[in-house]
Amino acid sequence: MSRKQIFIDFQLPNQVMSQWEKSTNGLTHSSLYPSVTIARGLVSCHTVMPELPEVERATALLRSITKGNRIIRVETSEDNLVFQGPLSHEDFGREISGRVVKDAFRYGKYFYIELEGAGRMPLLHFGMTGMLHVKGQPTIQYRRKVHEDPDVWPPRFMKFILHIEAETSGTTTELAFSDARRLGRIRLVIHPREEPPISGLGFDPILTMPPLWEFQTLVLKRSCPIKALLLDQSFSAGVGNYLADEILYQAKVHPEQRCNTFLQNQVEALHREVADVCRIAVEADADDEKYPSHWLFKHRWGKGKKAQQSMKLPSGESATIKWITVGGRTSAFVAEVQCLPHKQRAGKTEATTEDESDLTPLSSDDDDDRPMVASRKRKLKSETTRRKSVGSSYTGEPLREKRPRLKKH
């Protein structure tokens, strides 16, 4: 059966498809699968992209199943986008089959499998929709409602399945890696921590959190908005959109505040919350139901005029959650708690409301936190606004003259 046929066989009712297409702007893979919507067979709402806690949870699952056991067989599905570089899916399966797993580790949003013997090791990244599945067990979810039957095997959008034989009992467990939107990445490397992409990442808040003096230097030398800095994986590996918003709320820092304007007490609060928020999320095993009730995470998902905000301030008054775009990402903050410094607020213009990071943009396989698309849209919008404001005195491209419509008789 072809890949296109597999997608079509899992079509869902129109009302379900419309929900997904609304949340993803009707994203399709028309160039690869004509007339096939990427969302066939998948229902998702309030999706949280895998960040450090979710990847830590997946790594723990992987370790519990594979450590000390042998990979006796590997099934793979062809995907030249997810399997990176010259690596083909056949190469991946052939190189790791028959080898014993020593352990599994995470750094940032990457995780890798350490294998015995000579040869390369799998280095994995979930992207936006990647996840692990164990045959016969419920799938790990990230604040999403995915109607999947655990008895359906292999899972949809499967990239590979590891057949793991237990050393003591001899039983075989099947573990699959799937990725619906194909933004995940699968590589083979010799030294995962010493080679790109991990070697180019910043500190990991759980594994390599820097001391306060070093952290302060890293922050104050930048002039970009603090939210953009937190999203940059070369600064803090593993922090994504919801973690960054939570860190800033707990530290009482506005997401648009410029890094080089931080006071000493703000740097100390930020340093403390980067470590604490990530630690608490990992200790909760990335289960949002176990997250503290006072977290912004519990209330940030309702957006729009019809949304009813139930968050309360410590005083008992209602909190006002607002949304802005910083670093190319939608940012939630509490207006009563997170305020811009007076000087920056006084000089703030409409153009800086959606400011961008002045850091090096992230590569497409590192994260979903990419500001480039939003930046191009703003340039186009600002150019259009400028033309309208100057009218006929505009000396750039000539404005097209409006012509009367011809009436048909």
Side-chain angles (χ1 to χ4, degrees), residues 13 17 34 37 52 54 64 103 110 153 165 233 244 255 259 294-295 334 356 367 375 403:
M17 288 304 303
T37 305
L52 187 155
E54 290 76 27
S64 68
D103 210 336
Y110 288 90
W153 198 262
E165 183 180 67
Q233 300 300 286
C259 298
H294 66 276
W295 271 23
V334 177
E356 288 303 330
D367 204 303
S375 179
R403 297 182 179 179

Side-chain angles (χ1 to χ4, degrees), residues 8 13 45 82 114 188 296 314 366 379:
I8 293 175
C45 63
V82 176
E114 185 177 328
L188 286 178
L296 174 62
D366 285 343
K379 288 180 179 178

Side-chain angles (χ1 to χ4, degrees), residues 203-220:
F203 66 85
D204 184 294
I206 298 296
L207 303 174
T208 58
M209 186 68 191
L212 177 59
W213 65 266
E214 182 180 343
F215 180 83
Q216 179 171 316
T217 301
L218 292 172
V219 172
L220 294 181

Side-chain angles (χ1 to χ4, degrees), residues 9 24 69 71 87 99 119 171 277 297 342 346 349:
D9 285 344
T24 60
N69 299 325
I71 303 173
L87 178 71
R99 298 170 68 183
T171 59
V277 168
F297 184 95
H342 178 71
T349 63

Side-chain angles (χ1 to χ4, degrees), residues 248-267:
L248 294 174
Y249 169 66
Q250 298 299 331
K252 298 179 174 59
V253 172
H254 193 282
E256 289 184 305
Q257 182 171 345
R258 297 282 173 175
C259 298
N260 55 3
T261 67
F262 271 57
L263 302 176
Q264 180 64 32
N265 65 324
Q266 289 182 305
V267 176

